[in-house]
Amino acid sequence: MTGLDLTWSPAEDAFRAEAREWLEANLAAWHAEHGGEAAIASGDTRAGFAQHLDWERRLHAGGWAAVSWPEEHGGRGASLWEWLIFEEEYYRAGAPPRVTQNGIFLLAPTVFEFGTRDQQAHILPRMAAAEDLWCQGWSEPGAGSDLAAIRCRASRVEGGWRLDGQKTWTTRGAFCTHLFGLFRTDPESERHRGLSYLLVPLDLPGVTVRGFGRLDGDEGFAEVFFDGAFLADDALPGGVVLGEAGQGWSVAMATTGSERGLTLRSPGRFLATADRLFDLYRRDPQPRLRDRLADAYIRAEAYQLYTLDTVTRLAGGAAMGADSSINKLWWSELDVELHELALDLLGPEAEVEGPWSKGWQFALSGPIYAGTNEIQRNIAAERLLGLPRK
Ligand SMILES: Cc1cc2nc3c(=O)[nH]c(=O)nc-3n(C[C@H](O)[C@H](O)[C@H](O)COP(=O)(O)OP(=O)(O)OC[C@H]3O[C@@H](n4cnc5c(N)ncnc54)[C@H](O)[C@@H]3O)c2cc1C
């Protein structure tokens, strides 16, 4: 390495200023529209989801829903660097979690990589506009970490597919319109072979979506049942299979790369949380916690630097590959650390329903979703360190 220039260009600074101004004005307007910030419910409840959709549509109208996508697909045509800047400003402003995230940050990169032109032209603008709302249908009652054990079937019939089986842990499934899922399309196949990545409208006859509550009481999850539902080949323009039929595993691995890697959890989220921790500390300094605070802050900054390096590599044409597992370990463990420290700083003041407590409860799920951290360690051991499987 000959040198590292971490300064943003004047154009990037101007982009940041524009994003900051827009976010401040529009967050205030969105809060006011719903009777004030305190009246906005969690996006994982039915009422809160509807409020958050208003926010998503506002983002879209301003051209901020999917900043790094081409304009023709509903984006802003910004660079990945600018996207990182936008994310920093987004969380700094205290803007809400994106209820469209599983579409925009998980499915969309895979549609860009594997989708046909027709699929891209249909799916992406509607996703950016929050007209179609996508959930992820991978896990099943008998297939979580061992995703290749999935049993949901899609059987080939005249003009389409017949779907049977059950998905579970489908985040916000009860509020979504479409599901991207893995199905076994070759009945003779086993494990990773014979799977297809299907795009399924949830209003098909024979599909039942049953929302259920999480530990914190929000209806954030759903079970999705397929009872002989007919998925026509032309149910979506461009077709309902993403990538080749039978190649679903490799298409799905591209989605996990986005989920664990660059897009789902950008550093802006953790930098903003670390800043808020500092504010908490200043309110009531507790020197015995000072070293932990410094450590957490440094880890958030380290994640930012690592991400800048990732974007540099991606911009140079590299793929993230198994490094996304290391990325996921870092952000999920950092989130737990930041929230545990907040609760220790708050002590008895930490109300069960307060934002830090709620954030902590969600942070605890970080080492589970997007593939558990034990699985990420296995991947890192085998693929990055070259250790034997057994
Ligand atoms: C907040 C949240 C949101 C989610 N959203 C979605 C969603 O939208 N769509 C979806 O499809 N799924 C979703 N999931 C499900 C998630 O993908 C699974 O929970 C996860 O993959 C683990 O699967 P499991 O729960 O069946 O646990 P299991 O696979 O049964 O694992 C149980 C324990 O065993 C460990 N373990 C298993 N196998 C190994 C191994 N080979 N080596 C070492 N340890 C192992 C695991 O690490 C874990 O600690 C979500 C989960 C959470 C918590």
Side-chain angles (χ1 to χ4, degrees):
M1 194 185 298
T2 52
L4 196 58
D5 182 4
L6 290 175
T7 47
W8 297 109
S9 69
E12 285 159 344
D13 284 337
F15 179 89
R16 183 187 294 279
E18 188 185 353
R20 184 173 293 192
E21 192 182 324
W22 188 92
L23 283 162
E24 275 171 19
N26 281 274
L27 264 176
W30 178 58
H31 291 157
E33 188 183 320
H34 292 285
E37 189 173 359
I40 297 195
S42 153
D44 290 330
T45 61
R46 197 166 284 272
F49 188 82
Q51 293 172 323
H52 283 69
L53 275 190
D54 287 343
W55 169 250
E56 289 293 332
R57 291 179 181 138
R58 197 176 267 275
L59 278 173
H60 180 253
W64 299 103
V67 290
S68 62
W69 298 5
E71 285 177 35
E72 61 177 304
H73 296 313
R76 197 180 192 83
S79 67
L80 279 178
W81 304 108
E82 288 168 327
W83 171 72
L84 283 178
I85 291 171
F86 175 72
E87 290 275 299
E88 279 178 24
E89 291 303 316
Y90 190 89
Y91 289 104
R92 195 198 63 82
R98 302 287 305 270
V99 292
T100 52
Q101 66 173 22
N102 286 1
I104 290 178
F105 295 134
L106 304 193
L107 175 59
T110 313
V111 172
F112 278 115
E113 189 174 347
F114 290 93
T116 62
R117 275 176 181 275
D118 285 348
Q119 284 175 322
Q120 291 174 356
H122 175 76
I123 294 170
L124 296 169
R126 295 182 60 79
M127 184 191 286
E131 286 167 8
D132 293 343
L133 303 162
W134 289 86
C135 58
Q136 181 185 30
W138 292 14
S139 303
E140 298 180 6
S145 298
D146 188 11
L147 186 61
I150 66 163
R151 297 176 59 188
C152 264
R153 285 193 319 281
S155 318
R156 193 65 202 152
V157 292
E158 176 80 31
W161 304 90
R162 180 198 150 105
L163 309 182
D164 291 280
Q166 184 200 336
K167 297 291 179 183
T168 191
W169 309 121
T170 318
T171 294
R172 290 186 280 275
F175 317 137
C176 287
T177 59
H178 290 72
L179 171 144
F180 55 97
L182 268 183
F183 291 80
R184 194 162 292 287
T185 42
D186 176 355
E188 307 298 320
S189 70
E190 284 184 9
R191 308 289 301 159
H192 311 79
R193 298 199 178 81
L195 302 174
S196 298
Y197 195 120
L198 299 184
L199 306 170
V200 186
L202 286 172
D203 61 357
L204 297 177
V207 177
T208 307
V209 183
R210 196 179 70 83
F212 65 97
R214 297 189 310 210
L215 205 59
D216 64 3
D218 292 352
E219 191 190 349
F221 283 131
E223 294 173 304
V224 184
F225 300 90
F226 303 96
D227 296 302
F230 175 63
L231 174 65
D233 290 329
D234 59 2
L236 293 176
V240 292
V241 183
L242 189 57
E244 301 277 313
Q247 300 298 316
W249 185 261
S250 44
V251 185
M253 288 308 103
T255 305
T256 61
S258 306
E259 192 172 12
R260 298 167 188 167
L262 185 65
T263 52
L264 185 65
R265 298 286 180 246
S266 73
R269 177 182 174 116
F270 306 103
L271 289 169
T273 308
D275 277 338
R276 288 191 183 104
L277 263 186
F278 251 99
D279 292 343
L280 264 189
Y281 186 86
R282 283 196 200 98
R283 236 179 46 192
D284 177 16
Q286 299 175 48
R288 71 189 169 86
L289 297 175
R290 198 170 46 194
D291 285 357
R292 277 175 63 197
L293 178 65
D295 182 66
Y297 202 91
I298 290 167
R299 280 164 54 78
E301 288 204 321
Y303 182 48
Q304 185 194 34
L305 293 174
Y306 178 76
T307 306
L308 293 173
D309 180 59
T310 301
V311 169
T312 306
R313 284 186 288 128
L314 294 180
M320 205 167 171
D323 284 355
S324 61
S325 292
I326 301 285
N327 200 67
K328 197 257 160 168
L329 285 167
W330 192 270
W331 59 248
S332 57
E333 291 181 357
L334 173 61
D335 209 23
V336 175
E337 184 184 348
L338 291 166
H339 284 87
E340 278 181 348
L341 181 53
L343 296 193
D344 287 345
L345 280 166
L346 284 167
E349 250 190 81
E351 299 158 22
V352 175
E353 284 305 314
W356 281 110
S357 261
K358 196 109 169 121
W360 172 70
Q361 289 164 32
F362 188 71
L364 290 182
S365 69
I368 303 173
Y369 68 83
T372 69
N373 284 11
E374 288 78 14
I375 297 298
Q376 304 321 306
R377 287 195 161 84
N378 286 350
I379 294 171
E382 288 163 19
R383 302 217 201 122
L384 298 174
L385 301 176
L387 298 178
R389 288 177 72 85
K390 296 270 179 207

